[in-house]
Amino acid sequence: MALYVKVDQDTCIGCGACGEVAPDIFDYNEEGISFSLLDMNVGAVPVPENVVDDLEDARDECPTSSIKVEEEPFSDPALLQNKVV
């Protein structure tokens, strides 16, 4: 089962928990707001199996529940070509 991740940047407070727990998945933009490194927060690239546990830990530790995880892509992968975080 593939998992997809996207950060709700409208609710993220940039606390740093996700980047600490899952640095291979999350980083921060110039405003300090988190985004998924996997696909620039489009939510179209599956999370690699070797970091799924880190993803789940980050989601559980997010104080604002801004980390969204689904079994289906959030967006069409074609959106990756023009995505800016």
Side-chain angles (χ1 to χ4, degrees):
M1 165 185 68
L3 293 177
Y4 299 84
V5 63
K6 186 173 182 174
V7 176
D8 182 344
Q9 294 183 316
D10 292 331
T11 61
C12 175
I13 59 172
C15 73
C18 61
E20 185 175 317
V21 173
D24 293 330
I25 302 173
F26 300 104
D27 200 0
Y28 305 91
N29 64 19
E30 57 277 353
E31 288 90 32
I33 302 301
S34 179
F35 68 92
S36 168
L37 286 167
L38 302 176
D39 57 13
M40 301 305 288
N41 212 52
V42 172
V45 173
V47 176
E49 286 291 322
N50 64 319
V51 294
V52 166
D53 288 342
D54 293 344
L55 170 65
E56 291 171 349
D57 289 345
R59 178 190 58 200
D60 293 346
E61 293 206 16
C62 180
T64 58
S65 299
S66 296
I67 298 172
K68 307 302 181 191
V69 178
E70 297 289 339
E71 293 179 8
E72 298 290 328
F74 289 88
S75 303
D76 183 340
L79 294 175
L80 292 172
Q81 294 177 358
N82 298 318
K83 180 67 177 168
V84 177
V85 176

